[in-house]
Amino acid sequence: MEYGSLAFQALAATIKIVFMILGFLMPLASILTWMERRESAMMQDRLGPNRANIGPFKLWGITHFMADAVKFLFKEDFVPPKAHKFLFMWAPIMAMAPALIVAAIIPFGPPLCWNELLEKNPVCGQPINLQIAQLDVGLLFYFAISSLAVYGATLAGWASHNKWAMMGGLRATSQMMSYEVTMGMAVLGSFLVYGTLEPGAIVAQQTHIFSLGHYHSSWGIFLQPAGFVLFLTAAIAETKRTPFDIPEGEPEIIGYFVEYSGLRFGMFFLGEFLEIVVSSAIMITLFFGGYHWGNTIDNALLSHLPNFVFVLAMFGLWTVKVFAFCGFQLMIRWSLPRFRSDQLMRLGWQRLLPISIANVVATALVVLWAQQ
Amino acid sequence: MSAGGATTVDMVVFGVLATLTTFFALFTITRRNPVTAVMSLVATFFCLAGIYASLSAHFLAVIQVLVYAGAIMVLFIFVIMILNREEVAPFSLRPLRVLGVLAGVYLLVKIIDVVTVGLPEAVPGAAPDGFGTVAAIGDVLFRDFLYPFESISVLLLVAIVGGVVVSRSHQKEVAAVEAHDYRHQIEELAHHDYPGEPPAPAAPEGYH
């Protein structure tokens, strides 16, 4: 098969999609379902789930996620008699699908050099970009698709024909709408600094961790610290987890998925963790150099390893970064108390949004000044 | 894409998307349930975005999903859920039905007109490089059409401020009127030894 032909591109894209979903997103999200309970147990001086095992292999209880999956599959799939059947069926899919779709724009490794797989320091005449879709609109695609995730929660609440579910749906709508605005404003600063919207191009620029001489190639966290904090806050609010778990609100209304059982509930459950993985990956892309680990490490690996081993190593190191970020998000959930609904709205509209707009204006002025 | 015309793949993609768009649009106006109708409209917008993307207007496609499907329609759903109305037949107003039939007939005549004339022979060539990209759109918006763009921005800003003013709570005005009444009563007490008749609660002015 010839490089660059239509069949080659189609095959490469298919492999990348399958690898991204089955080799990265799903396993990581599944492990997070176990990790969340185990981490919370450790923080609260409990044991947590540590019993599930396959024969003698216990692995600290990691196999719990398989037990969960089996349990979800075999539970009764109950649909409330007065529910809107069609929307009740589709809501979990609408909640989970956006997280899988937006993963298409995340760059997960340096380009693979097709004709120089065994070379060290390749010229890379035939690169295969490790990113499913290189879109000119880039992160706008992320915002467009992830803004659709709100339908999952809203429709689940409405279609269940249950007052608590309905309230959860309404809360989810208002919360996700509010924080989407801040989220969009928070990354505008990064667009201005790197001069592009395309995540692959943004990562390709962040070769140094921090250097004054090449400030354009420093990690985003040093160029846009305020943008990072704002984006992190908004991203946690978008995943509807504590301290922003008003739509779920276990102590009061249970939330928009109160009527769901079995695999349909499992989809909401897994969808939440998928969103954590994807938002972590986007934050790594924008603010922590993507797959880059600084000039020194990158160059040492590049010159000492054959190309495909180098790519695999960089993918592994990128996974470490994403995993650390997921763990950080879990830790936030178990450290902070929850907001009240009015506090949530005040934080979103009266604190975060003005700060993010100020950040954009300040960044624009600095970029303009630096260009002259 | 071959220069100067649409390929078979383009035509197939357009056919599928156009069929779906029409189908969902019909669905929107024939559903009894308002939530189903709104979701059909979301699907319509999504398919429209697909048509934009296949015409290499990628930025427009993404904005279509982001603004219409992701924001405005969510507000529609939100309002419908709060109102929680009964399912009503979509065509209930009789005078409007007559108007609708007239408009439909007019549209049909126009469509037949266009279809019978036929498409122009010369198909415009392929879009120039960089057409529909963010950079190209930015160039057009902020160089060629800066003043119209800015005036629309100001118009939207005015609309937002107006919306805030209309929806603002009037607690402060109510408190001010009450404070005025109390002051009046205290002044009355200063002039008389006994509290006079409390002033009749006048129709509150200054707020609504």
Side-chain angles (χ1 to χ4, degrees):
Chain A
M1 197 177 298
E2 200 181 333
Y3 173 83
S5 65
L6 194 64
F8 181 88
Q9 284 176 356
L11 186 70
T14 315
I15 291 174
K16 278 188 270 188
I17 293 170
V18 171
F19 176 76
M20 192 68 178
I21 292 177
L22 294 182
F24 176 70
L25 287 172
M26 282 301 184
L28 191 50
S30 309
I31 288 176
L32 284 181
T33 61
W34 165 80
M35 203 168 116
E36 165 134 290
R37 283 173 281 170
R38 192 90 162 109
E39 200 174 302
S40 68
M42 286 173 177
M43 290 173 78
Q44 297 165 351
D45 203 12
R46 293 183 285 116
L47 280 175
N50 63 349
R51 300 292 176 86
N53 58 316
I54 304 174
F57 300 107
K58 229 172 160 185
L59 293 169
W60 313 280
I62 286 182
T63 44
H64 257 279
F65 78 83
M66 295 180 197
D68 277 344
V70 172
K71 191 183 82 171
F72 283 141
L73 276 173
F74 285 97
K75 268 196 163 181
E76 184 191 356
D77 178 28
F78 181 74
V79 181
K82 283 193 169 179
H84 191 288
K85 302 276 183 312
F86 183 77
L87 290 179
F88 189 84
M89 269 165 48
W90 274 85
I93 297 171
M94 281 193 251
M96 195 171 110
L100 291 175
I101 296 172
V102 293
I105 61 161
I106 297 169
F108 54 95
L112 190 69
C113 303
W114 179 241
N115 56 347
E116 301 162 290
L117 285 178
L118 298 173
E119 310 268 325
K120 295 168 186 172
N121 271 327
V123 191
C124 233
Q126 301 183 341
I128 303 175
N129 289 314
L130 293 193
Q131 183 185 8
I132 296 168
Q134 272 186 309
L135 303 175
D136 173 62
V137 288
L139 279 155
L140 283 183
F141 178 79
Y142 170 70
F143 290 116
I145 300 297
S146 61
S147 72
L148 297 177
V150 65
Y151 286 114
T154 312
L155 291 176
W158 182 82
S160 300
H161 202 273
N162 176 321
K163 289 192 173 101
W164 306 121
M166 175 94 163
M167 285 175 71
L170 285 174
R171 288 181 180 193
T173 319
S174 55
Q175 174 174 334
M176 291 176 79
M177 289 283 289
S178 307
Y179 281 83
E180 245 163 47
V181 182
T182 304
M183 207 167 172
M185 282 285 167
V187 294
L188 282 187
S190 303
F191 295 163
L192 288 173
V193 171
Y194 295 117
T196 174
L197 274 69
E198 210 279 302
I202 290 178
V203 168
Q205 286 189 40
Q206 305 181 41
T207 46
H208 298 69
I209 292 181
F210 180 67
S211 86
L212 279 176
H214 313 266
Y215 70 95
H216 271 300
S217 52
S218 305
W219 283 8
I221 175 79
F222 299 110
L223 301 176
Q224 281 290 312
F228 168 66
V229 175
L230 292 165
F231 189 87
L232 176 68
T233 317
I236 295 174
E238 286 289 305
T239 50
K240 303 184 284 293
R241 290 158 57 80
T242 321
F244 299 98
D245 73 332
I246 312 292
E248 274 175 49
E250 286 97 340
E252 32 186 84
I253 60 165
I254 320 296
Y256 50 90
F257 47 60
V258 63
E259 293 285 1
Y260 281 85
S261 60
L263 198 58
R264 293 191 206 289
F265 170 75
M267 284 166 94
F268 279 116
F269 187 59
L270 197 63
E272 187 180 305
F273 287 99
L274 281 174
E275 275 177 33
I276 295 174
V277 176
V278 170
S279 71
S280 298
I282 292 280
M283 273 185 270
I284 299 287
T285 303
L286 279 171
F287 300 105
F288 287 87
Y291 47 80
H292 288 301
W293 277 83
N295 215 6
T296 330
I297 301 178
D298 285 0
N299 283 340
L301 288 177
L302 184 65
S303 51
H304 288 94
L305 295 174
N307 183 258
F308 82 95
V309 182
F310 165 73
V311 170
L312 277 179
M314 294 305 269
F315 170 71
L317 288 171
W318 177 74
T319 315
V320 169
K321 261 191 210 177
V322 177
F323 193 67
F325 241 82
C326 295
F328 178 63
Q329 289 203 44
L330 299 189
M331 214 144 76
I332 286 179
R333 166 165 187 177
W334 295 103
S335 313
L336 296 176
R338 55 200 289 262
F339 286 111
R340 263 194 341 251
S341 207
D342 59 325
Q343 293 169 331
L344 180 96
M345 284 296 144
R346 196 173 310 133
L347 178 73
W349 289 106
Q350 296 188 356
R351 308 277 189 280
L352 294 185
L353 186 61
I355 296 174
S356 58
I357 293 174
N359 182 44
V360 173
V361 174
T363 311
L365 289 178
V366 171
V367 168
L368 203 64
W369 172 76
Q371 275 176 355
Q372 283 168 356
Chain B
M1 187 191 285
S2 66
T7 60
T8 327
V9 180
D10 290 336
M11 290 311 286
V12 169
V13 168
F14 175 76
V16 170
L17 285 172
T19 315
L20 281 176
T21 312
T22 321
F23 176 76
F24 282 123
L26 280 175
F27 227 63
T28 308
I29 54 168
T30 51
R31 293 302 91 190
R32 277 168 186 275
N33 187 321
V35 173
T36 325
V38 169
M39 286 319 290
S40 314
L41 195 52
V42 172
T44 314
F45 286 148
F46 215 81
C47 297
L48 263 183
I51 293 179
Y52 289 151
S54 68
L55 294 172
S56 33
H58 300 126
F59 182 75
L60 199 58
V62 168
I63 291 298
Q64 169 87 7
V65 174
L66 183 61
V67 174
Y68 285 96
I72 292 179
M73 296 320 286
V74 175
L75 286 181
F76 270 56
I77 288 261
F78 194 77
V79 170
I80 286 173
M81 278 169 66
I82 285 183
L83 293 179
N84 206 12
R85 288 194 52 193
E86 293 298 308
E87 296 188 1
V88 288
F91 317 106
S92 52
L93 290 170
R94 295 210 164 249
L96 278 183
R97 195 190 290 188
V98 177
L99 272 179
V101 168
L102 284 178
V105 168
Y106 176 74
L107 190 64
L108 195 67
V109 169
K110 280 289 168 193
I111 289 175
I112 289 171
D113 243 26
V114 171
V115 171
T116 45
V117 164
L119 293 171
E121 284 297 312
V123 182
D129 270 355
F131 175 81
T133 61
V134 182
I137 298 263
D139 247 16
V140 172
L141 274 188
F142 293 106
R143 286 222 172 86
D144 305 351
F145 294 98
L146 179 64
Y147 293 111
F149 179 77
E150 290 297 336
S151 47
I152 288 174
S153 309
V154 171
L155 185 68
L156 285 175
L157 186 66
V158 170
I160 292 173
V161 173
V164 170
V165 168
V166 167
S167 68
R168 192 174 52 133
S169 81
H170 297 283
Q171 279 173 356
K172 277 189 179 166
E173 282 95 329
V174 174
V177 170
E178 280 176 357
H180 180 261
D181 287 352
Y182 281 132
R183 233 177 289 134
H184 190 75
Q185 285 178 12
I186 291 168
E187 272 171 24
E188 286 281 303
L189 279 172
H191 290 100
H192 306 288
D193 292 338
Y194 54 91
E197 287 279 305
E205 286 174 3
Y207 69 94
H208 44 265

